[in-house]
């Protein structure tokens, strides 16, 4: 049985969907003024400044940690430079109890929720205070307390998980939703389609936030899909969709607030496509000069989302040059001091290598662990010495 109420025609008729041109929602101009006809969202001074401070902190953390990686202090890092408004503006529109399932470039959402610089550093250095117990690469943050699912590298896995989690939230009936962030590259995975279809059919409170930053590592968006971005795919699933200027923090906030209402109050999943640009390299292992021009980057540097918000705040007299100087100095100092502290901390206890997976450690694993300890006893200078290691007899 078909549910399609389709008009009948008697000559072959094809369509490529060109009639559905999705507009882009914008509020804030680059000089900090508003577009004619646009209205600033209801955002009080405290909240606006919390968003702005988080954007600046994220940028400073990114700059500092990339430098630390270049100095050999850290094995790997990923920056979200240029995409701070898309991530933090949307995260600010949620309730703290809403679940966040991110890709890997959304440290700003976690920072907005209250993840401290200490917590970031402990994960990056995989020390004894890292919640992941040093088992993951840097940038795989997570916080149960802050409702931020731990990052996992295989692309797009978080998208159907978000649909499933949001379905659970619908059944629980407590008025919460899930947001899942992903890149336009990840949207090419089959998981993306399964997740959207399931969410539309089951009517679950989930927000799919696609960061269209123009690249999947070295592959430009034009080589990833022929369509007009990712947004039109929502039609195929009968899902509400909006395209937003991802460098416009006010538009991102407003659009996500409205999407949240649709999701929570009407059980309507929403796709948001945030148009932005990955200003930095893909990761510390990448060099974009091999696949794009400095001129192209310069165009997007002119659209800096942080400067755009700062100019708006200054127009409103909520922010001054002195405030900026103070914030920059304080955060740079805090990031440096925290990094030194985290780097000095010992690694997680050796035992944690074999805990948390099995209820009781199986004999084969226990045997391997004894051999590992014997090996470390034999070559003590090749391994870090921590009190916990000593306790473990190694
Ligand atoms: C299943 C899978 N395939 C490939 C990769 C390798 N990989 C890591 S990031 C990435 C690009 C993803 O691009 P996008 O989703 O646009 O996110 P962005 O890095 O631009 O934020 C690729 C191909 C992976 N991690 N997982
Ligand atoms: Mg991308």
């Amino acid at each position: 049985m078909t549910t399609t109420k389709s008009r009948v025609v008697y000559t072959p008729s094809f369509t490529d969907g060109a009639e559905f041109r999705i507009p882009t929602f914008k509020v804030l101009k680059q000089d900090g003024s508003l577009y004619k006809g646009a209205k600033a969202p209801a955002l009080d001074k405290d909240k606006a400044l919390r968003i702005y401070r988080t954007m600046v902190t994220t940028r400073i953390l990114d700059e500092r940690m990339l430098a630390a990686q270049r100095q050999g202090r850290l094995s790997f890092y990923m920056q979200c430079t240029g995409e701070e408004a898309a991530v933090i503006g949307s995260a600010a529109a949620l309730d703290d109890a809403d679940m966040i399932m991110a890709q890997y470039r959304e440290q700003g959402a976690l920072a907005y929720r209250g993840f401290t610089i200490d917590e970031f550093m402990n994960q990056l250095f995989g020390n004894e205070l890292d919640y992941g117990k040093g088992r993951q690469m840097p940038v795989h943050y997570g916080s149960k307390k802050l409702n931020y699912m731990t990052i996992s590298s295989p692309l797009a896995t978080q998208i159907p998980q978000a649909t499933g989690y949001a379905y659970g939230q619908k059944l629980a009936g407590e008025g919460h939703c899930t947001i899942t962030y992903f890149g336009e590259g990840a949207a090419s995975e089959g998981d993306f389609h399964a997740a959207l279809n399931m969410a539309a059919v089951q009517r679950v409170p989930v927000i799919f936030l696609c960061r269209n930053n123009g690249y999947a590592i070295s592959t430009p968006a034009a080589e990833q899909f022929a369509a007009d971005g990712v947004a039109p795919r929502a039609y195929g699933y009968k899902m509400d969709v909006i395209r937003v200027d991802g460098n416009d923090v006010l538009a991102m906030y407003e659009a996500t607030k409205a999407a949240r209402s649709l999701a929570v109050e009407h059980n309507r999943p929403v796709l948001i496509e945030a148009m932005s640009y990955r200003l930095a390299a893909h990761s510390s292992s990448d060099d974009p000069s091999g696949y794009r021009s400095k001129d192209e980057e310069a165009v997007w540097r002119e659209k800096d989302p942080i400067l755009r918000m700062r100019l708006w705040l200054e127009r409103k007299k909520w922010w001054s040059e002195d405030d900026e100087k103070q914030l920059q100095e304080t955060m740079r100092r805090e990031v440096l001091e925290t990094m030194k502290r985290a780097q000095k901390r010992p690694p997680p206890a050796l035992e944690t290598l074999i805990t948390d997976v099995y209820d009781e450690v199986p004999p084969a694993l226990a045997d391997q662990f004894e051999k590992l300890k014997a090996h470390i006893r034999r070559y003590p200078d090749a391994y870090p010495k921590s009190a916990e290691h000593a306790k473990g007899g190694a």
Side-chain angles (χ1 to χ4, degrees):
M1 196 187 98
T2 173
T3 54
T4 306
K5 288 190 195 78
S6 186
R7 202 162 53 85
V8 176
V9 292
Y10 301 101
T11 51
S13 169
F14 295 88
T15 172
D16 67 358
E19 63 269 35
F20 304 115
R21 281 239 148 243
I22 298 183
T24 305
F25 175 49
K26 289 173 180 264
V27 174
L28 196 54
K29 289 192 196 167
Q30 193 59 35
D31 66 2
S33 66
L34 302 189
Y35 281 99
K36 204 164 159 248
K39 209 167 107 251
L43 201 55
D44 63 36
K45 182 178 170 186
D46 280 355
K47 190 154 192 168
L49 291 185
R50 180 173 160 197
I51 293 172
Y52 182 69
R53 288 199 176 99
T54 308
M55 287 167 75
V56 172
T57 300
T58 306
R59 178 83 51 102
I60 291 172
L61 182 70
D62 281 358
E63 284 167 2
R64 209 35 255 165
M65 297 326 287
L66 184 75
Q69 194 280 336
R70 293 294 187 250
Q71 292 164 349
R73 297 164 89 168
L74 197 63
S75 60
F76 179 81
Y77 194 73
M78 295 183 100
Q79 300 176 284
C80 80
T81 310
E83 296 178 65
E84 294 91 346
V87 170
I88 298 161
S90 54
L94 305 172
D95 274 13
D96 284 348
D98 294 339
M99 180 52 106
I100 298 179
M101 296 196 175
Q103 183 154 308
Y104 46 59
R105 214 181 289 286
E106 296 87 359
Q107 52 267 48
L110 187 54
Y112 185 84
R113 280 271 164 105
F115 208 62
T116 63
I117 304 286
D118 271 304
E119 289 177 302
F120 278 112
M121 292 295 174
N122 293 335
Q123 198 289 327
L124 291 169
F125 287 98
N127 68 25
E128 63 180 352
L129 297 179
D130 169 24
Y131 302 133
K133 302 182 186 172
R135 295 164 179 170
Q136 268 286 15
M137 282 173 76
V139 317
H140 289 63
Y141 314 110
S143 170
K144 200 170 178 176
K145 190 177 91 187
L146 300 175
N147 295 312
Y148 192 98
M149 185 64 80
T150 302
I151 302 303
S152 69
S153 277
L155 287 175
T157 49
Q158 77 279 15
I159 315 177
Q161 287 167 7
T163 298
Y165 198 88
Y167 185 54
Q169 287 171 316
K170 177 181 170 178
L171 295 182
E174 286 166 7
H176 302 144
C177 71
T178 296
I179 191 167
T180 178
Y181 293 92
F182 48 91
E184 85 297 331
S188 297
E189 286 285 346
D191 274 358
F192 165 86
H193 299 277
L196 264 71
N197 190 48
M198 204 194 307
V201 171
Q202 300 295 341
R203 299 178 60 93
V204 304
V206 56
I207 301 169
F208 299 100
L209 202 148
C210 177
R211 294 180 292 96
N212 186 340
N213 62 8
Y215 286 89
I217 312 188
S218 57
T219 309
E223 286 174 31
Q224 297 179 63
F225 35 77
D228 173 29
V230 173
R233 297 180 201 174
Y235 292 146
Y237 299 110
K238 186 103 176 71
M239 184 177 292
D240 291 308
V241 60
I242 185 168
R243 175 175 284 149
V244 185
D245 177 348
N247 286 22
D248 179 339
V249 73
L250 299 185
M252 283 304 304
Y253 178 82
E254 182 86 347
T256 313
K257 261 246 169 303
R260 188 183 186 280
S261 298
L262 283 171
V264 170
E265 290 159 30
H266 304 282
N267 287 317
R268 293 173 78 119
V270 181
L271 173 63
I272 300 177
E273 183 177 23
M275 308 307 290
S276 186
Y277 189 82
R278 196 200 71 214
L279 267 179
H282 170 71
S283 73
S284 55
S285 313
D286 174 46
D287 173 10
S289 69
Y291 56 85
R292 68 187 193 189
S293 70
K294 290 268 170 242
D295 287 351
E296 180 188 304
E297 290 175 10
V299 170
W300 281 90
R301 237 173 264 288
E302 294 293 308
K303 301 180 188 177
D304 183 13
I306 299 188
L307 180 61
R308 199 183 297 187
M309 184 176 195
R310 178 180 163 188
L311 293 173
W312 176 69
L313 291 172
E314 286 179 358
R315 277 171 190 263
K316 289 186 79 70
K317 307 268 182 264
W318 285 354
W319 196 249
S320 69
E321 209 161 302
D322 273 357
D323 293 329
E324 182 71 24
K325 209 168 140 228
Q326 212 184 338
L327 175 65
Q328 292 275 349
E329 277 169 16
T330 313
M331 288 322 301
R332 277 178 211 285
R333 200 175 334 111
E334 190 180 332
V335 166
L336 270 179
E337 283 168 6
T338 315
M339 171 160 58
K340 281 188 203 146
R341 241 189 345 260
Q343 212 180 350
K344 278 200 203 116
R345 278 202 172 272
L350 197 61
E351 284 81 0
T352 61
L353 276 176
I354 56 163
T355 53
D356 297 340
V357 176
Y358 297 100
D359 182 28
E360 279 176 36
V361 176
L365 210 49
D367 183 47
Q368 279 181 38
F369 188 62
E370 287 311 312
K371 286 183 178 140
L372 174 68
K373 285 201 287 189
H375 170 84
I376 294 174
R377 265 197 301 275
R378 205 161 154 203
Y379 302 101
D381 297 340
Y383 294 91
K385 287 177 193 55
S386 75
E388 287 300 320
H389 282 178
K391 208 169 70 189

